[in-house]
């Protein structure tokens, strides 16, 4: 297994995965989901998820696991990587 494919622990204060991608499923306070580039309103002041481990946390949030390729060495890398993934997976207009 390569280092790029190994899971890693979330970087404190990052929350790129809670900001860059859109969420199409409903979540508490956002019945129509969350647009891309908007921080999730369930982040606390330290950028930790207040829904983590709770049943109302959207399944998509739990399915996105930190990986070296996605997270890189900085929040900026993760924001760029996830933003590009968001752009590439948008439905045709």
């Amino acid at each position: 297994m390569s280092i790029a494919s190994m899971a890693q622990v979330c970087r404190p204060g990052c929350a790129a995965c809670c900001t860059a991608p859109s969420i199409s499923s409903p979540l508490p306070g956002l019945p129509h989901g969350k647009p891309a580039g908007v921080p999730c309103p369930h982040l606390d002041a330290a950028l930790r998820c207040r829904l983590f481990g709770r049943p109302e946390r959207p399944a998509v949030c739990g399915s996105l696991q930190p990986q070296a390729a996605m997270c890189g060495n900085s929040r900026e890398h993760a924001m760029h990587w996830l933003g590009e993934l968001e752009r590439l997976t948008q439905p045709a207009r």
Side-chain angles (χ1 to χ4, degrees), residues 24-66:
S24 58
S25 58
L27 59 153
L30 296 173
H32 304 290
K34 181 194 88 59
V38 175
C40 178
H42 300 288
L43 290 170
D44 67 14
L47 299 177
R48 292 178 301 225
C49 178
R50 291 186 301 236
L51 298 179
F52 191 85
R54 298 179 62 183
E56 57 270 29
R57 184 177 182 221
V60 68
C61 297
S63 68
L64 182 60
Q65 298 296 308

